[in-house]
């Protein structure tokens, strides 16, 4: 006699498929909630208090939205946000343009392209701490290679300009380093996009006698756009919270020229120990990134749907 | 078979025997004096059979790492040699064990230690007999100079013709700047050299410590001596403004290129590589510099931070405290008792640590015991410390930003920078309920 075709799981102590599924997912869900949601809720709660992690015996007071008001009305915080926006904008722009151009070249599959791809990827594989120290030496006005290269092409004396000590040059110094380090990442994503375009589309365009430029504008760029936008999203989020490399290169200086929001936040939270204040600041930054990323993802989905 | 069994039993027994022995962990910064302390502590282990472990953190991360440890009530450190600025916060937040009763019970007299070090490293609240540390490592900012360059007849003649005085260690801040200007960009022994390696670091405490060495001699005061936390007219006095302008002019005229974010290590590098005629740095580094094969010995000279309107040097140094979260407090206190004895303090100085014990410092032979000992005594007699308030980190961050903005980033005037600093500090003291 054949057994009835009941799923095996139904035979396990009478549990339904849905229950079994939940049992499998639950540990992960609980873990995610514990490490994501709980700290977030706690941070929100702390942001309305005068709590300081280094003063456990001080009386805890509810300060309402005082920290939020202080932060949003502080011109120096807006300067930090401006510096962050400047850094994010230029790094994304440069990394996207150069990264896509490199991917386009690598995609041509010229002789030795594997070697060049590996070589280009090296900066991305280094730790930001190593990169920060490495470029500090490169930017050294007396012995730094960067200054010598610039002086070779410009005729300026190598020690006549300071990339890390000049208010005008220092923001660009960190943009250059970040671009050097993370362009390969953008290149990889763009390369994946380029390789995902089926050959027959180009073949059809060839039949229609479309020029290379027309193929690039009408096929390559639109079909690669979701990948480019994804790279922009990843780099945007990463650079908005950039800390380690900038801290190593300039410590936020000269003056406060390169003090990005994340550096201010770290100093408030773990040096000055203004836990309540820094929680409010962290929430503001989180809402900013989350809001911008959401708008962006909607745009990305529209592009993908086309 | 029997031999194998005995050998096996012995191997198992060995770790058990080790585990029975007590050990202490001492936390400090990673620098030359810490190595001297490792050497010194071997005597403690020999005497008490308590093993010593050490947790040394590089200076740039020292405060972050150790304050995190204390704030999280970590048990890593039984003993800690913490910065002078931490004393207020560590006392109020109960990170350190109060030592008054212990001192009284063991007959340790705090008066045996130099008053400036007791006030700087041990007392909280300041000016009251409440002690949270034993002065362990006396330190102040001083200067080194290239004695061999100063001795060159051609340079001496040129300097005399220009400034109508001998090329020698400066007696005033103005003279210091003249010497720095004299050497800036000059060729010495076929190499381009620079005037002075001073502190300009932005991230931690560098520029604040450095500028203090100019501000104090010109007349800067943290507060009205008669009215605590009243800063207007003291922090931003005309003299303080002159001092800040002076530091900026020294930075602009006379530092090596690319010196916009420099602290202790960069100064040592500039001096050791033969780039700088003068170097501002902590006395703690001077024994190492004197031993340096390239710039030490006969080539190096030392001097106290020069006066201008008055005298003043930035206080450095640290006290030795017992961490209240330690499970080995009795042993940690035994270490302090041992460390406080005169014999140990003598050996501490011999090994390269800067003792604060009067019994060593007041010895007639002390001033001549090293080429920098006499200057150390003078410096410790004129030291001024940064705020040691529980909110010192916020106060420090404010000064770092305001001074760096003015000196390195050319933002605003000296008066504006000091006015803004008062605003920042006032806000902090108001939050703390001090104003």
């Amino acid at each position: 006699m054949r057994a009835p075709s009941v799923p095996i799981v139904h035979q396990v102590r009478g549990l339904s498929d849905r229950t079994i599924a939940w049992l499998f997912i639950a540990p992960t869900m609980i873990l995610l909630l514990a490490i994501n949601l709980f700290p977030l809720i706690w941070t929100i709660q702390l942001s309305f208090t005068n709590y300081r992690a280094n003063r456990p015996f001080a009386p805890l007071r509810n300060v309402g939205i005082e920290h939020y008001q202080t932060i949003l009305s502080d011109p120096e915080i807006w300067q930090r946000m401006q510096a962050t926006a400047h850094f994010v904008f230029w790094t994304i722009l440069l990394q996207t343009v150069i990264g896509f151009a490199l991917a386009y070249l690598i995609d041509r599959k010229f002789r030795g392209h594997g070697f060049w791809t590996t070589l280009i990827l090296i900066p991305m594989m280094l730790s930001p701490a190593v990169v920060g120290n490495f470029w500090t030496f490169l930017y050294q006005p007396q012995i730094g290679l960067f200054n010598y290269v610039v002086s070779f092409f410009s005729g300026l004396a190598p020690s006549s300009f300071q990339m890390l000590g000049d208010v005008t040059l220092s923001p660009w110094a960190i943009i250059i380093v970040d671009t050097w380090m993370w362009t390969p990442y953008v290149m990889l994503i763009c390369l994946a996009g380029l390789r995902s375009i089926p050959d027959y589309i180009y073949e059809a365009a060839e039949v229609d006698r479309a020029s290379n430029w027309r193929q690039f504008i009408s096929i390559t760029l639109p079909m690669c756009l979701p990948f480019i936008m994804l790279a922009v999203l990843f780099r945007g989020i990463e650079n908005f919270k950039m800390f380690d490399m900038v801290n190593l290169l300039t410590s936020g200086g000269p003056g406060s020229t390169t003090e990005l929001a994340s550096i201010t936040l770290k100093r408030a939270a773990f040096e000055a120990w203004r836990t309540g204040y820094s929680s409010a600041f962290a929430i503001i930054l989180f809402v900013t990134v989350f809001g911008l990323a959401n708008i962006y993802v909607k745009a990305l989905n529209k592009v993908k749907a086309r | 078979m029997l031999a194998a069994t005995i050998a096996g039993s012995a191997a198992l027994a060995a770790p058990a025997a080790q585990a029975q022995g007590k050990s202490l962990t001492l936390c400090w910064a990673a620098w030359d004096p810490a190595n001297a302390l490792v050497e010194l502590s071997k005597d403690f282990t020999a005497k008490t059979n308590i093993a010593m472990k050490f947790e040394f953190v590089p200076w740039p991360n020292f405060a972050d790492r150790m304050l995190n440890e204390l704030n999280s009530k970590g048990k890593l450190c039984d003993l800690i040699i913490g910065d002078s600025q931490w004393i207020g916060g560590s006392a109020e937040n109960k990170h350190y064990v109060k030592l008054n009763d212990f001192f009284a019970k063991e007959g340790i007299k705090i008066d045996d230690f130099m008053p400036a070090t007791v006030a700087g490293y041990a007392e909280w609240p300041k000016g009251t007999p409440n002690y949270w540390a034993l002065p362990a490592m006396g330190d102040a900012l001083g200067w080194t100079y290239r004695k061999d360059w100063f001795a060159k007849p051609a340079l001496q003649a040129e300097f005399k013709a220009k400034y109508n005085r001998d090329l020698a260690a400066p007696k005033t801040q103005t003279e210091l700047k003249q010497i720095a200007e004299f050497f800036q960009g000059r060729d010495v022994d076929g190499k381009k050299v620079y005037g002075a390696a001073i502190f300009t670091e932005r991230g931690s405490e560098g520029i604040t410590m450095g500028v203090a060495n100019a501000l104090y001699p010109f007349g800067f005061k943290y507060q009205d001596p008669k009215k605590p936390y009243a800063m207007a007219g003291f922090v931003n006095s005309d003299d303080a403004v002159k001092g800040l302008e002076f530091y900026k002019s020294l930075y602009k005229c006379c530092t090596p290129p690319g010196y916009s974010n420099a602290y202790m290590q960069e100064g040592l590098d500039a001096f050791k590589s033969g780039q700088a005629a003068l170097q501002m740095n902590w006395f703690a580094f001077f024994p190492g510099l004197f031993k340096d094969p390239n710039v030490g010995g006969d080539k190096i000279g030392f001097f106290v931070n020069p006066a201008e309107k008055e005298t003043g040097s930035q206080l450095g140094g640290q006290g030795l405290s017992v961490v209240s979260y330690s499970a080995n407090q009795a042993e940690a206190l035994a270490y302090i008792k041992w460390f406080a004895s005169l014999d140990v303090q003598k050996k501490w100085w011999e090994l390269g640590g800067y003792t604060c014990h009067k019994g060593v410092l007041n010895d007639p032979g002390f001033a001549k015991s090293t080429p920098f000992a006499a200057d150390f005594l003078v410096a410790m007699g004129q030291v001024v410390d940064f705020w040691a308030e529980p909110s010192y980190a916020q106060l420090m961050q404010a000064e770092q930003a305001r001074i760096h903005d003015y000196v390195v980033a050319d933002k605003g005037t000296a008066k504006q920078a000091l006015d803004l600093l008062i605003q920042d500090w006032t806000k902090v003291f108001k939050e703390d309920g001090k104003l």
Side-chain angles (χ1 to χ4, degrees):
Chain A
M1 197 172 98
R2 275 175 71 102
S5 60
V6 177
I8 294 169
V9 288
H10 280 188
Q11 297 167 7
V12 183
R13 296 181 187 175
L15 298 175
S16 68
D17 284 0
R18 181 171 283 271
T19 312
I20 295 285
W22 272 109
L23 280 174
F24 279 118
I25 294 168
T28 311
M29 291 293 285
I30 292 165
L31 195 68
L32 279 174
L33 287 175
I35 61 174
N36 284 334
L37 202 61
F38 170 67
L40 180 66
I41 293 167
W42 199 28
T43 306
I44 293 170
Q45 190 193 335
L46 286 177
S47 73
F48 298 112
T49 68
N50 67 339
Y51 181 66
R52 286 172 184 247
N54 68 335
R55 297 187 194 177
F57 306 105
L60 193 66
R61 190 164 51 86
N62 195 323
V63 296
I65 58 165
E66 189 184 305
H67 291 318
Y68 290 91
Q69 282 175 328
T70 308
I71 292 163
L72 294 173
S73 61
D74 185 347
E76 285 177 4
I77 291 290
W78 285 105
Q79 274 178 16
R80 310 288 183 263
M81 296 299 267
Q82 206 178 337
T84 309
H86 180 270
F87 172 71
V88 171
F89 174 80
W90 283 106
T91 48
I92 285 180
L93 184 71
L94 291 171
Q95 286 168 28
T96 308
V97 171
I98 302 170
F100 182 76
L102 285 173
Y104 195 73
L105 285 174
I106 294 288
D107 194 42
R108 302 292 95 183
K109 289 189 180 142
F110 54 90
R111 192 174 169 180
H113 77 280
F115 168 77
W116 288 107
T117 309
T118 310
L119 199 68
I120 291 167
L121 291 180
I122 288 174
M124 191 182 89
M125 296 169 188
L126 301 173
S127 107
V130 172
V131 171
N133 280 316
F134 174 59
W135 275 87
T136 304
F137 285 111
L138 289 184
Y139 282 141
Q140 224 285 332
Q142 293 179 79
I143 53 165
L145 189 64
F146 183 88
N147 281 38
Y148 270 93
V149 171
V150 173
S151 84
F152 180 79
F153 288 107
S154 67
L156 291 166
S159 59
S160 65
F161 62 98
Q162 296 185 33
M163 288 302 290
L164 299 176
D166 184 288
V167 282
T168 318
L169 297 177
S170 57
W172 292 102
I174 61 171
I175 288 167
I176 289 169
V177 179
D178 192 76
T179 303
W180 177 82
M181 187 173 181
W182 290 111
T183 295
Y185 177 77
V186 178
M187 183 197 83
L188 272 186
I189 295 176
C190 291
L191 199 57
L194 288 169
R195 299 247 162 109
S196 73
I197 303 171
D199 286 343
Y200 69 82
I201 298 180
Y202 287 109
E203 286 161 10
E206 294 276 348
V207 171
D208 290 341
R209 293 186 178 182
S211 67
N212 283 344
W213 176 246
R214 170 55 64 191
Q215 288 180 30
F216 177 78
I217 292 295
S218 303
I219 302 169
T220 311
L221 207 53
M223 295 197 77
C224 232
L225 196 57
F227 290 87
I228 295 171
M229 289 181 76
L230 207 59
V232 168
L233 179 69
F234 290 155
R235 290 309 309 143
I237 292 172
E238 277 297 309
N239 278 359
F240 197 85
K241 53 186 185 164
M242 169 60 67
F243 173 79
D244 38 13
M245 199 184 67
V246 179
N247 196 43
L248 272 162
L249 282 169
T250 63
S251 304
S256 305
T257 315
T258 59
E259 186 164 327
L260 306 184
S262 57
I263 293 180
T264 308
L265 177 60
K266 188 262 179 181
R267 284 185 177 150
F270 300 111
E271 289 174 23
W273 294 99
R274 302 175 73 194
T275 316
Y277 172 91
S278 51
S279 296
F281 193 19
I283 295 297
I284 290 171
L285 292 181
F286 171 74
V287 168
T288 309
V289 177
F290 191 72
L292 290 174
N294 257 326
I295 296 167
Y296 189 85
V297 168
K298 277 183 185 161
L300 177 65
N301 287 336
K302 274 185 188 170
V303 170
K304 277 166 74 182
R306 275 200 301 220
Chain B
M1 182 69 183
L2 181 66
T5 308
I6 292 168
S9 307
L12 286 170
Q18 271 180 359
Q20 283 167 8
K22 284 277 187 182
S23 75
L24 287 174
T25 301
L26 189 150
C27 299
W28 199 10
W31 61 335
D32 288 351
N35 301 329
L37 191 67
V38 173
E39 198 56 36
L40 182 73
S41 298
K42 287 176 183 167
D43 291 352
F44 175 73
T45 302
K47 192 177 174 187
T48 61
N49 209 21
I50 298 172
M52 290 300 294
K53 291 193 247 171
F54 298 91
E55 185 75 20
F56 296 149
V57 181
W59 272 113
N61 309 104
F62 179 56
D64 274 8
R65 172 75 185 87
M66 288 306 154
L67 293 176
N68 260 319
E69 183 66 27
L70 293 174
N71 288 329
S72 59
K73 302 182 181 176
K75 294 186 188 302
L76 171 72
C77 313
D78 300 301
L79 289 155
I80 191 165
I81 302 187
D83 252 343
S84 58
Q85 308 98 302
W86 305 359
I87 203 83
S90 297
E92 289 200 358
N93 299 313
K94 301 185 173 69
H95 297 324
Y96 292 169
V97 171
K98 193 174 180 183
L99 298 173
N100 287 48
D101 292 346
F102 166 71
F103 285 167
K105 186 181 156 204
E106 297 295 341
I108 298 168
K109 292 178 189 151
I110 201 76
D111 292 343
D112 285 346
F113 293 83
M114 220 171 169
T117 65
V118 174
Y121 314 148
E123 268 178 20
W124 184 262
K126 296 293 174 197
T128 68
N130 295 287
Y131 306 112
W132 305 86
L134 183 84
M137 175 74 198
D139 204 0
L141 271 187
W143 292 84
T144 64
Y145 69 99
R146 286 298 298 265
K147 207 171 173 182
D148 54 336
W149 296 356
F150 279 43
K152 287 180 187 291
L155 293 180
Q156 282 198 337
E158 191 184 331
F159 188 85
K160 181 122 189 174
K162 193 170 180 186
Y163 296 107
N164 198 27
R165 64 185 169 84
D166 290 335
L167 178 55
K171 298 278 185 293
T172 65
Q173 294 281 326
T174 307
E175 287 183 9
L176 183 142
K177 193 182 159 200
Q178 285 170 351
I179 293 170
E181 278 173 332
F182 180 73
F183 278 103
Q184 182 74 4
R186 179 175 289 275
D187 274 344
V188 178
D189 299 334
K191 192 176 167 187
K192 192 174 184 179
V193 303
Y194 302 94
I198 60 172
F199 295 162
T200 57
E201 186 255 6
R202 168 70 174 84
S204 60
E205 58 169 27
I207 200 165
T208 300
M209 298 292 106
V211 78
N213 251 21
L215 291 176
Y216 302 151
F218 275 86
F220 171 96
K221 299 271 183 297
Y222 285 102
Q223 56 190 332
D224 184 343
K226 292 171 192 161
K227 194 180 172 196
Y229 306 110
M231 294 170 284
F234 294 87
V235 168
N236 61 350
S237 66
D238 290 345
D239 289 331
V241 169
K242 278 183 203 158
L244 183 51
E245 285 170 346
F246 172 84
Y247 198 73
K248 179 171 179 168
S249 69
L250 188 61
Y251 166 68
K252 293 290 177 191
C253 79
C254 307
T255 49
Y259 213 72
S260 57
N261 196 20
Y263 196 21
M264 308 176 238
Q265 192 55 50
E266 288 77 10
L268 292 173
D269 291 345
F271 195 78
K272 284 181 178 179
S273 63
Q275 280 192 75
L278 305 169
Q279 179 208 191
M280 162 194 280
N281 223 319
W282 301 104
F283 271 86
F285 291 109
F286 291 1
L289 282 168
F290 185 67
K291 284 181 200 155
D292 190 276
N294 298 317
V295 298
D298 293 341
K299 292 178 182 170
I300 192 170
F302 306 91
F303 62 92
V304 184
N305 189 45
E308 190 69 19
K309 189 182 166 190
E310 51 196 72
T311 59
S313 298
Q314 175 58 44
L315 179 74
Q318 299 91 22
L320 174 64
S321 299
V322 176
V323 177
S324 60
Y325 316 113
S326 161
N328 307 307
Q329 288 189 16
E331 290 77 17
L333 289 168
Y335 186 90
I336 290 200
K337 185 186 171 188
W338 167 81
F339 187 75
S341 68
L342 184 58
D343 288 346
V344 174
Q345 288 293 312
K346 276 181 186 165
K347 192 169 180 187
W348 177 223
W349 169 247
E350 282 164 16
L351 288 170
Y354 278 81
T355 179
C356 307
H357 200 291
K358 284 180 189 168
V360 184
L361 300 170
N362 292 341
D363 187 285
F366 179 82
K368 289 183 180 169
S369 61
T370 66
F372 38 80
D375 289 326
F376 173 66
L377 278 181
V378 176
M380 291 309 288
Q382 64 178 43
V383 285
V384 185
D385 197 10
F386 186 75
W387 298 104
E389 296 283 328
S391 291
Y392 93 91
Q394 266 178 275
L395 301 163
M396 179 72 79
Q397 280 182 11
E399 181 162 352
Q400 285 287 107
R402 297 302 177 198
I403 301 297
H404 212 268
D405 266 343
Y406 169 68
V407 173
V408 180
D410 292 325
K411 201 170 161 186
T413 64
K415 178 77 169 62
Q416 285 166 344
L418 293 172
D419 287 346
L420 288 168
L421 185 58
I422 291 178
Q423 279 182 27
D424 295 339
W425 284 356
T426 303
K427 209 185 290 177
V428 176
F429 289 131
K430 274 186 179 162
E431 274 181 24
D432 284 355
K434 304 269 168 85
L435 282 172

